[in-house]
């Protein structure tokens, strides 16, 4: 499988030196979603356009007339990233251009207000890549809960901990049967780079869901941002996989983590948002992790 320049998508020996996020971003210290975007754009290259709805990324890009982005960026209303990207992709293809159209949206703009536009674009078969970076809250407006906030997490609108489970966005997307979908995590940038390369080599709608730990939202010290992502994967809370034309493959560290997950406490004890967690909630969280591991393991083994 090759990318649009004819290079193998598995060749990671030459990650481009070019930077598409330059100095002066307004990201918080330790922001992992901006780290992810850096790798996404390195994988995508200069013939790419970003569509960004209202979210932290629209702030990270800097204050007009300055910009930290080295590719064209189209800012669009909170609900409309996938609809905008859909029209943009149609226009490029009508002009005979292969330009990568990449929507880069938060979990609120994807799982909540943007889910209708996303569903429509997936169903229409839009040739684009939709990336949801998931910091598990509405970060830009002060950490309100989103549908993607996990059970038990304290946010400004769930001060006693979120009473309901994280919305399963991936299963919603899966129901649309896109040719390629994957999960990724900011702590594994090469895995993300490879997945973006592969996604962009496939025609039609592609979706990547990245877990993006957020120091102010999750309440951990900024220097722990990579460690936090690794712990999410090692405890099986976040599972790395790809689904190509419906076939599931569990990736890299998740293969080991799913057989022998680290204790959930390793992940949650370092985060202020899970402080003073009720033992019953902790138990429910453990059950959810175990259920997800079981469901995906069975599916990969063809036992479902
Ligand atoms: C219709 C509408 N409602 C509310 C807002 C205010 N708003 C802007 S960004 C945002 C939160 C975005 O959260 P998310 O998509 O999770 O991305 P993050 O900020 O965490 O990067 C909200 C509520 C808006 N811009 N438009
Ligand atoms: S609030 Fe979180 S996601 Fe938003 S810029 Fe800060 S660290 Fe990044």
């Amino acid at each position: 499988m090759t990318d649009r320049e004819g290079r193998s998508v598995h060749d990671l020996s030459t990650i481009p030196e070019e930077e598409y996020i330059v100095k002066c971003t307004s990201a918080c210290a330790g922001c992992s979603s901006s780290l992810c975007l850096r790798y996404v754009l390195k994988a995508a290259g200069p013939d790419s356009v970003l569509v960004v709805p209202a979210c932290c990324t629209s702030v990270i890009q800097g204050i007009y007339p300055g910009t930290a982005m080295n590719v064209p960026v189209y800012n669009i209303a909170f609900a409309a990233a996938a609809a905008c990207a859909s029209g943009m992709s149609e226009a490029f293809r009508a002009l005979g251009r292969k330009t990568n159209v990449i929507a880069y949206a938060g979990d609120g703009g994807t799982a909540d207000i943007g889910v209708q536009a996303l569903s429509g674009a997936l169903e229409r078969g839009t040739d684009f890549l939709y990336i949801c970076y998931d910091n598990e809250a509405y970060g830009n407006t002060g950490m309100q809960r989103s549908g993607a906030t996990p059970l038990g997490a304290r946010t400004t609108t769930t001060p006693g901990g979120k009473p309901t489970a994280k919305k399963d966005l991936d299963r919603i997307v899966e129901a649309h049967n896109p040719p390629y979908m994957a999960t990724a995590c900011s702590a594994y940038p090469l895995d993300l780079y490879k997945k973006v390369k592969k996604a962009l080599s496939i025609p039609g709608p592609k979706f990547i869901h990245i877990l993006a730990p957020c120091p102010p939202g999750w309440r951990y010290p900024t220097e722990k941002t990579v460690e936090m992502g690794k712990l999410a994967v090692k405890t099986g809370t976040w599972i790395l996989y790809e689904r190509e034309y419906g076939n599931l493959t569990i990736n890299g560290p998740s293969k080991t983590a799913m057989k022998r997950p680290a204790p959930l406490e390793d992940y949650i004890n370092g985060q202020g948002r899970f402080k003073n967690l009720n033992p019953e909630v902790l138990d429910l969280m453990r059950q959810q992790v175990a259920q997800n591991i079981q469901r995906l393991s069975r599916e990969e083994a063809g036992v479902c």
Side-chain angles (χ1 to χ4, degrees):
M1 190 176 280
T2 55
D3 66 13
R4 284 173 177 173
E5 281 80 49
R7 291 180 301 227
S8 165
V9 295
H10 302 295
D11 179 10
L12 303 181
S13 58
T14 50
I15 292 186
E17 282 179 13
E18 289 94 330
E19 295 293 347
Y20 300 97
I21 302 187
V22 293
K23 285 181 182 170
C24 306
T25 82
S26 321
C28 310
C31 174
S32 77
S33 68
S34 50
L35 175 70
C36 292
L37 186 54
R38 182 171 170 235
Y39 277 87
V40 167
L41 292 175
K42 277 177 180 281
D47 189 14
S48 303
V49 177
L50 275 184
V51 177
V52 177
C55 59
C56 283
T57 305
S58 45
V59 175
I60 287 168
Q61 73 196 41
I63 299 166
Y64 181 83
T67 176
M69 304 293 196
N70 216 358
V71 292
V73 179
Y74 198 100
N75 289 120
I76 189 71
F78 198 16
C84 172
S86 206
M88 202 180 262
S89 167
E90 286 299 317
F92 278 126
R93 303 304 172 253
L95 291 170
R97 287 181 56 182
K98 290 181 173 173
T99 303
N100 301 311
V101 177
I102 304 174
Y104 197 74
D107 47 288
T110 305
D112 295 339
I113 195 168
V115 77
Q116 170 190 283
L118 174 61
S119 173
L122 293 174
E123 184 272 327
R124 285 190 299 274
T126 294
D127 183 23
F128 80 141
L129 169 60
Y130 191 106
I131 298 181
C132 171
Y133 66 93
D134 189 352
N135 59 12
E136 302 193 315
Y138 290 5
N140 186 32
T141 40
M143 300 304 159
Q144 296 82 20
R145 61 86 93 186
S146 79
T149 300
L151 178 72
R154 291 172 193 270
T155 65
T156 50
T157 47
T158 54
K162 185 172 177 243
T164 55
K166 183 177 176 76
K167 188 188 282 190
D168 198 337
L169 174 65
D170 300 325
R171 289 175 96 183
I172 296 173
V173 171
E174 186 194 331
H176 295 75
N177 223 359
Y180 183 84
M181 63 182 287
T183 57
C185 173
S186 57
Y188 299 94
L190 287 184
D191 178 72
L192 171 63
Y193 178 86
K194 190 180 90 179
K195 285 171 174 169
V196 172
K197 280 274 203 209
K198 191 189 279 188
L200 291 173
S201 72
I202 296 173
K206 287 81 64 176
F207 176 81
I208 300 180
H209 188 182
I210 310 174
L211 184 72
C214 161
W218 297 17
R219 299 184 227 161
Y220 63 80
T222 53
E223 68 276 14
K224 301 247 178 208
T225 217
V226 172
E227 186 181 325
M228 214 45 80
K230 291 203 165 168
L231 286 171
V233 171
K234 286 179 179 164
T235 54
T237 308
W238 191 256
I239 298 173
L240 300 174
Y241 69 80
E242 286 171 290
R243 203 181 280 286
E244 290 177 67
Y245 297 99
N247 293 319
L248 178 80
T249 312
I250 310 289
N251 303 124
S254 284
K255 284 187 193 158
T256 318
M258 285 169 76
K259 286 186 194 118
R260 289 177 297 283
L264 187 57
E265 288 84 342
D266 289 2
Y267 175 55
I268 59 175
N269 284 354
Q271 299 179 46
R273 65 179 177 157
F274 292 121
K275 208 171 169 198
N276 300 327
L277 204 61
N278 175 328
E280 283 168 22
V281 174
L282 181 58
D283 222 39
L284 274 175
M285 289 167 81
R286 276 204 201 93
Q287 285 174 34
Q288 283 173 4
V289 170
Q291 276 166 10
N292 273 338
I293 290 178
Q294 195 190 39
R295 179 174 60 83
L296 290 170
S297 306
R298 286 171 67 87
E299 185 186 335
E300 198 191 31
V303 196
C304 45

